[in-house]
PDB file of all heavy atoms in Angstrom:
ATOM      1  N   HIS A  25       2.276   6.794  25.972  1.00  0.00           N
ATOM      2  CA  HIS A  25       2.695   8.200  25.677  1.00  0.00           C
ATOM      3  C   HIS A  25       3.162   8.258  24.195  1.00  0.00           C
ATOM      4  O   HIS A  25       3.233   7.214  23.510  1.00  0.00           O
ATOM      5  CB  HIS A  25       3.802   8.649  26.557  1.00  0.00           C
ATOM      6  CG  HIS A  25       5.099   7.859  26.465  1.00  0.00           C
ATOM      7  ND1 HIS A  25       5.365   6.802  27.257  1.00  0.00           N
ATOM      8  CD2 HIS A  25       6.138   7.951  25.572  1.00  0.00           C
ATOM      9  CE1 HIS A  25       6.552   6.281  26.926  1.00  0.00           C
ATOM     10  NE2 HIS A  25       7.046   6.943  25.888  1.00  0.00           N
ATOM     11  N   ALA A  26       3.462   9.449  23.766  1.00  0.00           N
ATOM     12  CA  ALA A  26       3.861   9.685  22.357  1.00  0.00           C
ATOM     13  C   ALA A  26       5.237  10.283  22.328  1.00  0.00           C
ATOM     14  O   ALA A  26       5.656  11.028  23.243  1.00  0.00           O
ATOM     15  CB  ALA A  26       2.850  10.615  21.636  1.00  0.00           C
ATOM     16  N   LYS A  27       6.041   9.975  21.260  1.00  0.00           N
ATOM     17  CA  LYS A  27       7.344  10.481  21.072  1.00  0.00           C
ATOM     18  C   LYS A  27       7.504  10.887  19.614  1.00  0.00           C
ATOM     19  O   LYS A  27       6.860  10.335  18.686  1.00  0.00           O
ATOM     20  CB  LYS A  27       8.421   9.489  21.409  1.00  0.00           C
ATOM     21  CG  LYS A  27       8.572   9.165  22.886  1.00  0.00           C
ATOM     22  CD  LYS A  27       9.271  10.346  23.607  1.00  0.00           C
ATOM     23  CE  LYS A  27       9.523  10.028  25.047  1.00  0.00           C
ATOM     24  NZ  LYS A  27      10.192  11.150  25.763  1.00  0.00           N
ATOM     25  N   TYR A  28       8.314  11.910  19.368  1.00  0.00           N
ATOM     26  CA  TYR A  28       8.626  12.314  17.966  1.00  0.00           C
ATOM     27  C   TYR A  28       9.232  11.172  17.223  1.00  0.00           C
ATOM     28  O   TYR A  28      10.105  10.411  17.758  1.00  0.00           O
ATOM     29  CB  TYR A  28       9.559  13.536  17.959  1.00  0.00           C
ATOM     30  CG  TYR A  28      10.072  13.842  16.584  1.00  0.00           C
ATOM     31  CD1 TYR A  28       9.276  14.493  15.630  1.00  0.00           C
ATOM     32  CD2 TYR A  28      11.344  13.469  16.182  1.00  0.00           C
ATOM     33  CE1 TYR A  28       9.724  14.778  14.383  1.00  0.00           C
ATOM     34  CE2 TYR A  28      11.871  13.759  14.933  1.00  0.00           C
ATOM     35  CZ  TYR A  28      11.038  14.383  14.023  1.00  0.00           C
ATOM     36  OH  TYR A  28      11.495  14.679  12.731  1.00  0.00           O
ATOM     37  N   ALA A  29       8.900  11.023  15.979  1.00  0.00           N
ATOM     38  CA  ALA A  29       9.477  10.026  15.069  1.00  0.00           C
ATOM     39  C   ALA A  29       9.876  10.710  13.804  1.00  0.00           C
ATOM     40  O   ALA A  29       9.069  11.417  13.193  1.00  0.00           O
ATOM     41  CB  ALA A  29       8.543   8.857  14.805  1.00  0.00           C
ATOM     42  N   GLY A  30      11.049  10.457  13.259  1.00  0.00           N
ATOM     43  CA  GLY A  30      11.468  11.052  12.045  1.00  0.00           C
ATOM     44  C   GLY A  30      12.793  10.519  11.565  1.00  0.00           C
ATOM     45  O   GLY A  30      13.523   9.915  12.323  1.00  0.00           O
ATOM     46  N   GLY A  31      13.116  10.808  10.343  1.00  0.00           N
ATOM     47  CA  GLY A  31      14.429  10.412   9.809  1.00  0.00           C
ATOM     48  C   GLY A  31      14.450  10.439   8.244  1.00  0.00           C
ATOM     49  O   GLY A  31      13.685  11.180   7.629  1.00  0.00           O
ATOM     50  N   MET A  32      15.306   9.594   7.707  1.00  0.00           N
ATOM     51  CA  MET A  32      15.465   9.499   6.275  1.00  0.00           C
ATOM     52  C   MET A  32      15.059   8.107   5.840  1.00  0.00           C
ATOM     53  O   MET A  32      15.151   7.144   6.636  1.00  0.00           O
ATOM     54  CB  MET A  32      16.922   9.782   5.895  1.00  0.00           C
ATOM     55  CG  MET A  32      17.331  11.175   6.222  1.00  0.00           C
ATOM     56  SD  MET A  32      19.114  11.412   5.712  1.00  0.00           S
ATOM     57  CE  MET A  32      19.023  11.180   3.955  1.00  0.00           C
ATOM     58  N   PHE A  33      14.706   7.940   4.567  1.00  0.00           N
ATOM     59  CA  PHE A  33      14.432   6.583   4.073  1.00  0.00           C
ATOM     60  C   PHE A  33      14.907   6.533   2.612  1.00  0.00           C
ATOM     61  O   PHE A  33      14.975   7.518   1.898  1.00  0.00           O
ATOM     62  CB  PHE A  33      12.961   6.219   4.190  1.00  0.00           C
ATOM     63  CG  PHE A  33      12.045   7.107   3.392  1.00  0.00           C
ATOM     64  CD1 PHE A  33      11.636   6.738   2.094  1.00  0.00           C
ATOM     65  CD2 PHE A  33      11.547   8.279   3.946  1.00  0.00           C
ATOM     66  CE1 PHE A  33      10.788   7.572   1.392  1.00  0.00           C
ATOM     67  CE2 PHE A  33      10.709   9.133   3.200  1.00  0.00           C
ATOM     68  CZ  PHE A  33      10.304   8.748   1.954  1.00  0.00           C
ATOM     69  N   THR A  34      15.232   5.353   2.181  1.00  0.00           N
ATOM     70  CA  THR A  34      15.640   5.069   0.836  1.00  0.00           C
ATOM     71  C   THR A  34      15.137   3.655   0.404  1.00  0.00           C
ATOM     72  O   THR A  34      14.975   2.812   1.309  1.00  0.00           O
ATOM     73  CB  THR A  34      17.160   5.227   0.641  1.00  0.00           C
ATOM     74  OG1 THR A  34      17.488   5.135  -0.737  1.00  0.00           O
ATOM     75  CG2 THR A  34      17.878   4.128   1.376  1.00  0.00           C
ATOM     76  N   GLY A  35      14.991   3.451  -0.838  1.00  0.00           N
ATOM     77  CA  GLY A  35      14.514   2.170  -1.288  1.00  0.00           C
ATOM     78  C   GLY A  35      14.318   2.081  -2.780  1.00  0.00           C
ATOM     79  O   GLY A  35      14.752   2.951  -3.528  1.00  0.00           O
ATOM     80  N   ALA A  36      13.653   1.003  -3.235  1.00  0.00           N
ATOM     81  CA  ALA A  36      13.443   0.835  -4.608  1.00  0.00           C
ATOM     82  C   ALA A  36      12.165   0.032  -4.864  1.00  0.00           C
ATOM     83  O   ALA A  36      11.795  -0.819  -4.009  1.00  0.00           O
ATOM     84  CB  ALA A  36      14.637   0.093  -5.253  1.00  0.00           C
ATOM     85  N   LYS A  37      11.489   0.301  -6.005  1.00  0.00           N
ATOM     86  CA  LYS A  37      10.341  -0.501  -6.429  1.00  0.00           C
ATOM     87  C   LYS A  37      10.632  -1.052  -7.818  1.00  0.00           C
ATOM     88  O   LYS A  37      11.155  -0.358  -8.694  1.00  0.00           O
ATOM     89  CB  LYS A  37       9.112   0.415  -6.534  1.00  0.00           C
ATOM     90  CG  LYS A  37       8.756   1.169  -5.219  1.00  0.00           C
ATOM     91  CD  LYS A  37       7.581   2.081  -5.459  1.00  0.00           C
ATOM     92  CE  LYS A  37       7.246   2.878  -4.242  1.00  0.00           C
ATOM     93  NZ  LYS A  37       6.079   3.793  -4.480  1.00  0.00           N
ATOM     94  N   TRP A  38      10.277  -2.341  -7.989  1.00  0.00           N
ATOM     95  CA  TRP A  38      10.419  -2.934  -9.302  1.00  0.00           C
ATOM     96  C   TRP A  38       9.021  -3.275  -9.802  1.00  0.00           C
ATOM     97  O   TRP A  38       8.277  -4.050  -9.190  1.00  0.00           O
ATOM     98  CB  TRP A  38      11.224  -4.248  -9.208  1.00  0.00           C
ATOM     99  CG  TRP A  38      11.346  -4.961 -10.550  1.00  0.00           C
ATOM    100  CD1 TRP A  38      10.496  -5.867 -11.028  1.00  0.00           C
ATOM    101  CD2 TRP A  38      12.353  -4.709 -11.542  1.00  0.00           C
ATOM    102  NE1 TRP A  38      10.929  -6.269 -12.267  1.00  0.00           N
ATOM    103  CE2 TRP A  38      12.002  -5.545 -12.625  1.00  0.00           C
ATOM    104  CE3 TRP A  38      13.403  -3.835 -11.656  1.00  0.00           C
ATOM    105  CZ2 TRP A  38      12.764  -5.592 -13.820  1.00  0.00           C
ATOM    106  CZ3 TRP A  38      14.197  -3.872 -12.805  1.00  0.00           C
ATOM    107  CH2 TRP A  38      13.880  -4.737 -13.845  1.00  0.00           C
ATOM    108  N   TYR A  39       8.678  -2.654 -10.953  1.00  0.00           N
ATOM    109  CA  TYR A  39       7.299  -2.810 -11.439  1.00  0.00           C
ATOM    110  C   TYR A  39       7.235  -3.930 -12.469  1.00  0.00           C
ATOM    111  O   TYR A  39       8.002  -3.938 -13.469  1.00  0.00           O
ATOM    112  CB  TYR A  39       6.791  -1.559 -12.056  1.00  0.00           C
ATOM    113  CG  TYR A  39       6.396  -0.540 -11.002  1.00  0.00           C
ATOM    114  CD1 TYR A  39       7.228   0.570 -10.661  1.00  0.00           C
ATOM    115  CD2 TYR A  39       5.134  -0.633 -10.412  1.00  0.00           C
ATOM    116  CE1 TYR A  39       6.838   1.489  -9.716  1.00  0.00           C
ATOM    117  CE2 TYR A  39       4.713   0.329  -9.460  1.00  0.00           C
ATOM    118  CZ  TYR A  39       5.592   1.371  -9.134  1.00  0.00           C
ATOM    119  OH  TYR A  39       5.209   2.295  -8.158  1.00  0.00           O
ATOM    120  N   PHE A  40       6.359  -4.885 -12.282  1.00  0.00           N
ATOM    121  CA  PHE A  40       6.113  -5.992 -13.264  1.00  0.00           C
ATOM    122  C   PHE A  40       5.130  -5.535 -14.303  1.00  0.00           C
ATOM    123  O   PHE A  40       5.156  -5.991 -15.425  1.00  0.00           O
ATOM    124  CB  PHE A  40       5.619  -7.227 -12.531  1.00  0.00           C
ATOM    125  CG  PHE A  40       6.634  -7.868 -11.616  1.00  0.00           C
ATOM    126  CD1 PHE A  40       6.642  -7.550 -10.216  1.00  0.00           C
ATOM    127  CD2 PHE A  40       7.582  -8.733 -12.124  1.00  0.00           C
ATOM    128  CE1 PHE A  40       7.584  -8.095  -9.367  1.00  0.00           C
ATOM    129  CE2 PHE A  40       8.521  -9.295 -11.237  1.00  0.00           C
ATOM    130  CZ  PHE A  40       8.545  -8.993  -9.907  1.00  0.00           C
ATOM    131  N   THR A  41       4.215  -4.657 -13.906  1.00  0.00           N
ATOM    132  CA  THR A  41       3.225  -4.114 -14.820  1.00  0.00           C
ATOM    133  C   THR A  41       3.158  -2.622 -14.475  1.00  0.00           C
ATOM    134  O   THR A  41       3.827  -2.100 -13.643  1.00  0.00           O
ATOM    135  CB  THR A  41       1.828  -4.742 -14.625  1.00  0.00           C
ATOM    136  OG1 THR A  41       1.192  -4.216 -13.413  1.00  0.00           O
ATOM    137  CG2 THR A  41       1.919  -6.258 -14.546  1.00  0.00           C
ATOM    138  N   ASP A  42       2.301  -1.857 -15.242  1.00  0.00           N
ATOM    139  CA  ASP A  42       2.221  -0.449 -14.965  1.00  0.00           C
ATOM    140  C   ASP A  42       1.366  -0.185 -13.674  1.00  0.00           C
ATOM    141  O   ASP A  42       1.300   0.973 -13.236  1.00  0.00           O
ATOM    142  CB  ASP A  42       1.543   0.295 -16.145  1.00  0.00           C
ATOM    143  CG  ASP A  42       0.169  -0.279 -16.511  1.00  0.00           C
ATOM    144  OD1 ASP A  42      -0.193  -1.342 -15.926  1.00  0.00           O
ATOM    145  OD2 ASP A  42      -0.511   0.341 -17.336  1.00  0.00           O
ATOM    146  N   VAL A  43       0.878  -1.260 -13.029  1.00  0.00           N
ATOM    147  CA  VAL A  43       0.112  -1.085 -11.807  1.00  0.00           C
ATOM    148  C   VAL A  43       0.853  -1.778 -10.624  1.00  0.00           C
ATOM    149  O   VAL A  43       0.969  -1.226  -9.531  1.00  0.00           O
ATOM    150  CB  VAL A  43      -1.274  -1.723 -11.962  1.00  0.00           C
ATOM    151  CG1 VAL A  43      -2.019  -1.668 -10.617  1.00  0.00           C
ATOM    152  CG2 VAL A  43      -2.048  -0.932 -12.966  1.00  0.00           C
ATOM    153  N   PHE A  44       1.356  -3.008 -10.831  1.00  0.00           N
ATOM    154  CA  PHE A  44       1.837  -3.805  -9.680  1.00  0.00           C
ATOM    155  C   PHE A  44       3.377  -3.915  -9.657  1.00  0.00           C
ATOM    156  O   PHE A  44       4.014  -4.068 -10.696  1.00  0.00           O
ATOM    157  CB  PHE A  44       1.248  -5.254  -9.802  1.00  0.00           C
ATOM    158  CG  PHE A  44       1.812  -6.179  -8.782  1.00  0.00           C
ATOM    159  CD1 PHE A  44       1.383  -6.159  -7.473  1.00  0.00           C
ATOM    160  CD2 PHE A  44       2.806  -7.093  -9.139  1.00  0.00           C
ATOM    161  CE1 PHE A  44       1.896  -7.045  -6.517  1.00  0.00           C
ATOM    162  CE2 PHE A  44       3.379  -7.956  -8.201  1.00  0.00           C
ATOM    163  CZ  PHE A  44       2.899  -7.914  -6.876  1.00  0.00           C
ATOM    164  N   GLY A  45       3.938  -3.889  -8.461  1.00  0.00           N
ATOM    165  CA  GLY A  45       5.336  -4.074  -8.271  1.00  0.00           C
ATOM    166  C   GLY A  45       5.675  -4.529  -6.881  1.00  0.00           C
ATOM    167  O   GLY A  45       4.795  -4.658  -5.987  1.00  0.00           O
ATOM    168  N   VAL A  46       6.942  -4.820  -6.652  1.00  0.00           N
ATOM    169  CA  VAL A  46       7.430  -5.164  -5.289  1.00  0.00           C
ATOM    170  C   VAL A  46       8.426  -4.063  -4.848  1.00  0.00           C
ATOM    171  O   VAL A  46       8.955  -3.298  -5.690  1.00  0.00           O
ATOM    172  CB  VAL A  46       8.137  -6.565  -5.304  1.00  0.00           C
ATOM    173  CG1 VAL A  46       7.168  -7.665  -5.585  1.00  0.00           C
ATOM    174  CG2 VAL A  46       9.288  -6.581  -6.260  1.00  0.00           C
ATOM    175  N   LYS A  47       8.530  -3.964  -3.537  1.00  0.00           N
ATOM    176  CA  LYS A  47       9.418  -2.857  -3.076  1.00  0.00           C
ATOM    177  C   LYS A  47      10.211  -3.271  -1.813  1.00  0.00           C
ATOM    178  O   LYS A  47       9.785  -4.194  -1.123  1.00  0.00           O
ATOM    179  CB  LYS A  47       8.550  -1.599  -2.712  1.00  0.00           C
ATOM    180  CG  LYS A  47       7.586  -1.859  -1.568  1.00  0.00           C
ATOM    181  CD  LYS A  47       6.655  -0.687  -1.377  1.00  0.00           C
ATOM    182  CE  LYS A  47       7.306   0.558  -0.889  1.00  0.00           C
ATOM    183  NZ  LYS A  47       6.431   1.656  -0.484  1.00  0.00           N
ATOM    184  N   THR A  48      11.324  -2.609  -1.652  1.00  0.00           N
ATOM    185  CA  THR A  48      12.104  -2.762  -0.419  1.00  0.00           C
ATOM    186  C   THR A  48      12.491  -1.347   0.082  1.00  0.00           C
ATOM    187  O   THR A  48      12.651  -0.453  -0.742  1.00  0.00           O
ATOM    188  CB  THR A  48      13.341  -3.590  -0.659  1.00  0.00           C
ATOM    189  OG1 THR A  48      14.040  -3.840   0.580  1.00  0.00           O
ATOM    190  CG2 THR A  48      14.281  -2.977  -1.653  1.00  0.00           C
ATOM    191  N   GLU A  49      12.614  -1.225   1.382  1.00  0.00           N
ATOM    192  CA  GLU A  49      12.857   0.087   1.941  1.00  0.00           C
ATOM    193  C   GLU A  49      13.689   0.039   3.198  1.00  0.00           C
ATOM    194  O   GLU A  49      13.534  -0.930   3.970  1.00  0.00           O
ATOM    195  CB  GLU A  49      11.503   0.794   2.193  1.00  0.00           C
ATOM    196  CG  GLU A  49      11.629   2.196   2.599  1.00  0.00           C
ATOM    197  CD  GLU A  49      10.255   2.907   2.629  1.00  0.00           C
ATOM    198  OE1 GLU A  49       9.500   2.816   1.617  1.00  0.00           O
ATOM    199  OE2 GLU A  49       9.895   3.471   3.720  1.00  0.00           O
ATOM    200  N   PHE A  50      14.564   1.019   3.367  1.00  0.00           N
ATOM    201  CA  PHE A  50      15.393   1.101   4.546  1.00  0.00           C
ATOM    202  C   PHE A  50      15.223   2.464   5.199  1.00  0.00           C
ATOM    203  O   PHE A  50      15.189   3.482   4.452  1.00  0.00           O
ATOM    204  CB  PHE A  50      16.874   0.886   4.217  1.00  0.00           C
ATOM    205  CG  PHE A  50      17.149  -0.431   3.549  1.00  0.00           C
ATOM    206  CD1 PHE A  50      17.115  -0.510   2.185  1.00  0.00           C
ATOM    207  CD2 PHE A  50      17.371  -1.538   4.274  1.00  0.00           C
ATOM    208  CE1 PHE A  50      17.342  -1.751   1.554  1.00  0.00           C
ATOM    209  CE2 PHE A  50      17.623  -2.754   3.653  1.00  0.00           C
ATOM    210  CZ  PHE A  50      17.626  -2.877   2.311  1.00  0.00           C
ATOM    211  N   GLN A  51      15.064   2.534   6.516  1.00  0.00           N
ATOM    212  CA  GLN A  51      14.803   3.807   7.196  1.00  0.00           C
ATOM    213  C   GLN A  51      15.898   4.064   8.207  1.00  0.00           C
ATOM    214  O   GLN A  51      16.423   3.152   8.832  1.00  0.00           O
ATOM    215  CB  GLN A  51      13.454   3.768   7.874  1.00  0.00           C
ATOM    216  CG  GLN A  51      12.318   3.519   6.907  1.00  0.00           C
ATOM    217  CD  GLN A  51      10.966   3.907   7.419  1.00  0.00           C
ATOM    218  OE1 GLN A  51      10.738   4.982   7.929  1.00  0.00           O
ATOM    219  NE2 GLN A  51      10.022   2.967   7.319  1.00  0.00           N
ATOM    220  N   PHE A  52      16.253   5.338   8.336  1.00  0.00           N
ATOM    221  CA  PHE A  52      17.307   5.786   9.224  1.00  0.00           C
ATOM    222  C   PHE A  52      16.708   6.752  10.267  1.00  0.00           C
ATOM    223  O   PHE A  52      16.273   7.822   9.894  1.00  0.00           O
ATOM    224  CB  PHE A  52      18.446   6.452   8.466  1.00  0.00           C
ATOM    225  CG  PHE A  52      18.949   5.609   7.280  1.00  0.00           C
ATOM    226  CD1 PHE A  52      18.423   5.750   5.994  1.00  0.00           C
ATOM    227  CD2 PHE A  52      19.876   4.592   7.543  1.00  0.00           C
ATOM    228  CE1 PHE A  52      18.846   4.966   4.962  1.00  0.00           C
ATOM    229  CE2 PHE A  52      20.335   3.814   6.472  1.00  0.00           C
ATOM    230  CZ  PHE A  52      19.814   4.007   5.192  1.00  0.00           C
ATOM    231  N   ASP A  53      16.693   6.326  11.505  1.00  0.00           N
ATOM    232  CA  ASP A  53      15.941   6.986  12.546  1.00  0.00           C
ATOM    233  C   ASP A  53      16.766   8.120  13.197  1.00  0.00           C
ATOM    234  O   ASP A  53      17.896   7.906  13.530  1.00  0.00           O
ATOM    235  CB  ASP A  53      15.601   5.972  13.643  1.00  0.00           C
ATOM    236  CG  ASP A  53      14.522   6.449  14.603  1.00  0.00           C
ATOM    237  OD1 ASP A  53      14.301   7.639  14.623  1.00  0.00           O
ATOM    238  OD2 ASP A  53      13.947   5.581  15.327  1.00  0.00           O
ATOM    239  N   TRP A  54      16.163   9.326  13.329  1.00  0.00           N
ATOM    240  CA  TRP A  54      16.840  10.326  14.131  1.00  0.00           C
ATOM    241  C   TRP A  54      15.853  10.854  15.226  1.00  0.00           C
ATOM    242  O   TRP A  54      15.969  11.956  15.733  1.00  0.00           O
ATOM    243  CB  TRP A  54      17.346  11.462  13.287  1.00  0.00           C
ATOM    244  CG  TRP A  54      16.376  12.261  12.447  1.00  0.00           C
ATOM    245  CD1 TRP A  54      15.122  12.688  12.843  1.00  0.00           C
ATOM    246  CD2 TRP A  54      16.538  12.738  11.102  1.00  0.00           C
ATOM    247  NE1 TRP A  54      14.526  13.381  11.791  1.00  0.00           N
ATOM    248  CE2 TRP A  54      15.422  13.467  10.782  1.00  0.00           C
ATOM    249  CE3 TRP A  54      17.631  12.633  10.221  1.00  0.00           C
ATOM    250  CZ2 TRP A  54      15.238  14.044   9.492  1.00  0.00           C
ATOM    251  CZ3 TRP A  54      17.482  13.290   9.018  1.00  0.00           C
ATOM    252  CH2 TRP A  54      16.295  13.943   8.603  1.00  0.00           C
ATOM    253  N   GLY A  55      14.996   9.964  15.638  1.00  0.00           N
ATOM    254  CA  GLY A  55      14.067  10.279  16.719  1.00  0.00           C
ATOM    255  C   GLY A  55      14.667  10.099  18.066  1.00  0.00           C
ATOM    256  O   GLY A  55      15.869  10.069  18.237  1.00  0.00           O
TER     257      GLY A  55
END
């Protein structure tokens, strides 16, 4: 079955070049 999913998220990306980077992200669920 399916359930609603939603919430807030925050994070950061660190770019080594103008194309490539690494990222981390945290999500806060209110589903």
Side-chain angles (χ1 to χ4, degrees):
H25 63 265
K27 288 287 184 179
Y28 170 76
M32 299 178 63
F33 62 94
T34 187
K37 303 178 184 180
W38 178 270
Y39 284 101
F40 294 95
T41 74
D42 58 352
V43 175
F44 173 79
V46 294
K47 65 185 293 188
T48 184
E49 189 171 305
F50 302 92
Q51 302 198 50
F52 308 94
D53 194 346
W54 58 44

